[in-house]
Amino acid sequence: MPVPAQRTRPGPRRALTEDQILDAALTLLDAGGANAASVRAIAAQVGVAPNAVYTYFPDKAAIVKALVERLLGQVDHGVFIDRDQPWRQRVEALALELRERLSAHPGAVPLLIGGPMDGPHALALNERLLELLADAGLNPTDAARASYLLIVYVFGSIALEVADLPQPGPLPPESERIDTRLDAFTATPAEHYPRTAAAAAAMAGYISTEQYLWGLRRMLDGITASTTAHTEAAGV
Amino acid sequence: MPVPAQRTRPGPRRALTEDQILDAALTLLDAGGANAASVRAIAAQVGVAPNAVYTYFPDKAAIVKALVERLLGQVDHGVFIDRDQPWRQRVEALALELRERLSAHPGAVPLLIGGPMDGPHALALNERLLELLADAGLNPTDAARASYLLIVYVFGSIALEVADLPQPGPLPPESERIDTRLDAFTATPAEHYPRTAAAAAAMAGYISTEQYLWGLRRMLDGITASTTAHTEAAGV
DNA sequence: ACCTGAACACCGTTCAAGT
DNA sequence: ACCTGAACACCGTTCAAGT
């Protein structure tokens, strides 16, 4: 998003900024879920007529795109940029940081995965991940494939988690979270789906972060197993 | 089917079936993308007034739910139910079959991942996957975690693939597919994102099924690596 | 029981006009 | 340049009425 040139200075009054509109959209998303951020609701939130929004963004898709970029920009790179840390730990830090940032706004998640993530912040994150995998000793092809695998996992996990949520609004603390998925499985007649019922029982004690990290580590195991020669040389 | 007599006059008799409504929804989805299957468009497609649809389904969510169930029900279990096959091959067959069925209706994918998949067909698929993982020698806890990991991967892959699609409508053959993601990466200035640009170059020759299977195999590697003792005993 | 027209409360977006 | 009211073409859903 380029900085507007200084020559086009005020007209009668500039009542808003792009950021205020994105703030309003996010507030609505957090309170009412993915469908709550209508252009009209955003306009009402910031106190203008619906069509005034189109002074700042060409259409709703542009608002969504800018919002997605903003969320990805909030990811703290510090936690996984440190090359002195073991690379697996850095991947875990990245995965946890992304998950935490996105879980903070479940209503925005469907917008995230609803379109291509090709903005500058998305590309910057991808770049960091590729650096990380290069540090791990992967060649460019393996790094590219592994990065896509990890991205699918991170966003897929969050998307399915949000999809299983019973209602819009902020995520409750993990300990109190009601998981529709586990609910459905637990309510499943064991005579029809014995293994699903058993799996629900086996998983009942676990929290989702644990499951998330378990999956992530299995993927890292698989990635390193296929590229052992390189990882040995890379150290740590 | 003979030429339909014009019973456009209000008839007390049942003019439709639930299946016809789902057929219409799927047709619209395939032609116009995820937003094309409005209740009003469905009604128009089957030749009734919009509110007549509510005789068959209580609301739009019920239509979506039934449609998702129907799509999952079309998955052919035969390809991965055969216990004489090596279990990894069975997992791959399941993953490929699911991907093929869902890719046939890209417009329906956002509806798939937009809500919980807890219908009978979804549970049946989960049950088959757990059987498969039990055959591989995993204990119930590992099987539950591994199955969720695999589900996240399969649906996450398809969701991201659809999200990167430029246009609604049917998926073109894989060889002619335009991938917004790769496009964005290729168009990326190499001076800002050198590794992303390199990754795009490295991946340019690959087709997505190859990437899909690569990721799947890395996950299976990681799963077996963490449960070696069991897999040895399970044979194959 | 099934379908209808009409209506309600929404939606994204465009347009002409006012400042 | 920025904002407005009004309008257009949608949307899901409800209601009373007709068969």
Side-chain angles (χ1 to χ4, degrees), chain A residues 28-217:
Chain A
L28 290 161
L29 244 22
D30 289 344
N35 296 327
S38 68
V39 173
R40 296 176 108 104
I42 292 169
Q45 178 88 8
V46 295
V48 295
N51 45 3
V53 172
Y54 291 87
T55 308
Y56 300 87
F57 294 95
D59 51 27
K60 192 188 179 181
I63 301 177
V64 168
K65 201 173 161 180
L67 188 61
V68 166
E69 259 300 290
R70 165 194 269 203
L71 289 176
L72 292 179
Q74 286 174 353
V75 172
D76 177 17
H77 291 210
V79 293
F80 54 88
I81 213 176
D82 179 6
R83 296 182 115 131
D84 293 332
Q85 293 289 314
W87 73 271
R88 283 169 151 265
Q89 222 158 294
R90 292 168 65 199
V91 175
E92 287 187 17
L94 167 55
L96 285 173
E97 167 71 6
L98 250 175
R99 186 173 121 102
E100 203 162 319
R101 285 282 163 266
L102 301 185
S103 299
H105 305 287
V109 170
L111 307 182
L112 255 290
I113 55 158
M117 290 180 279
D118 51 7
H121 284 128
L123 290 173
L125 275 174
N126 194 65
E127 189 72 12
R128 298 273 166 268
L129 179 54
L130 287 170
E131 278 171 21
L132 219 163
L133 294 171
D135 289 349
L138 301 197
N139 64 49
T141 303
D142 281 343
R145 303 197 142 188
S147 79
Y148 190 63
L149 174 57
L150 291 168
I151 287 166
V152 163
Y153 180 67
V154 169
F155 287 97
S157 291
I158 297 168
L160 288 198
E161 201 167 348
V162 168
D164 282 347
L165 241 44
Q167 54 181 4
L171 274 179
E174 187 160 308
S175 53
E176 303 168 19
R177 206 172 298 165
I178 297 164
D179 192 320
T180 304
R181 181 184 162 75
L182 272 187
D183 269 12
F185 285 5
T186 311
T188 293
E191 60 272 25
H192 287 136
Y193 310 101
R195 293 181 192 279
T196 303
M203 299 281 288
Y206 294 100
I207 56 179
S208 53
T209 300
E210 220 174 324
Q211 164 70 26
Y212 182 66
L213 281 177
W214 185 91
L216 183 64
R217 283 168 185 155

Side-chain angles (χ1 to χ4, degrees), chain B residues 12-15 48-49 51-52 56:
Chain B
R13 200 56 196 136
R14 174 167 257 246
V48 296
N51 46 3
Y56 300 86

